Amino acid sequence: MGCGAGAVGRVGKERFYKQKNVANYIKDPLKRRIEHLSDEDLELERLFLGLRCDLGVGLEGLDSKKVQTLVEEKKCKVSNQRLVACDFFLADEIALWLT
């Protein structure tokens, strides 16, 4: 859930963007732009967001050879059946490579 000027949030398959301009946001805090997300969008977002934190992403559905390569190259580790990025700055690149 995104709250405040410039915030981005998601509920279900809808992502919404609040106004970035603070004065406009104050005038109409309920105004937002809505983007409808596909299943592919949601999967990519799951990877991006999961790899950007210590939680990581579940191994189910990931290419096991790619996971093995990431672990061998010390880009990621597997912890509690989840793939965790060793360097969060590489998380987006790793997510793209996994898709």
Side-chain angles (χ1 to χ4, degrees):
M1 203 44 111
C3 300
V8 178
R10 181 177 64 84
V11 176
K13 288 189 168 190
E14 291 186 337
R15 180 179 294 130
F16 56 89
Y17 302 85
K18 297 289 192 164
Q19 299 181 71
K20 291 182 181 181
N21 181 286
V22 175
N24 289 340
Y25 175 79
I26 291 170
K27 288 178 190 173
D28 187 1
L30 299 179
K31 185 175 181 181
R32 62 186 181 182
R33 183 172 55 91
I34 297 176
E35 174 186 9
H36 299 280
L37 303 172
S38 68
D39 290 338
E40 293 81 20
D41 294 332
L42 292 172
E43 176 61 15
L44 185 57
E45 187 169 281
R46 180 186 74 85
L47 288 173
F48 273 110
L49 296 177
L51 290 169
R52 288 179 184 176
C53 67
D54 286 329
L55 180 61
V57 293
L59 294 174
E60 64 280 348
L62 298 179
D63 182 320
S64 60
K65 289 184 180 185
K66 287 186 175 185
V67 168
Q68 182 180 355
T69 299
L70 290 168
V71 171
E72 288 173 358
E73 293 182 2
K74 299 188 184 335
K75 305 285 186 212
C76 292
K77 62 184 177 184
V78 174
S79 177
N80 297 320
Q81 295 299 306
R82 300 184 71 79
L83 185 67
V84 180
C86 292
D87 183 343
F88 297 145
F89 289 113
L90 296 177
D92 291 356
E93 184 176 338
I94 292 167
L96 287 172
W97 188 69
L98 286 169
T99 58

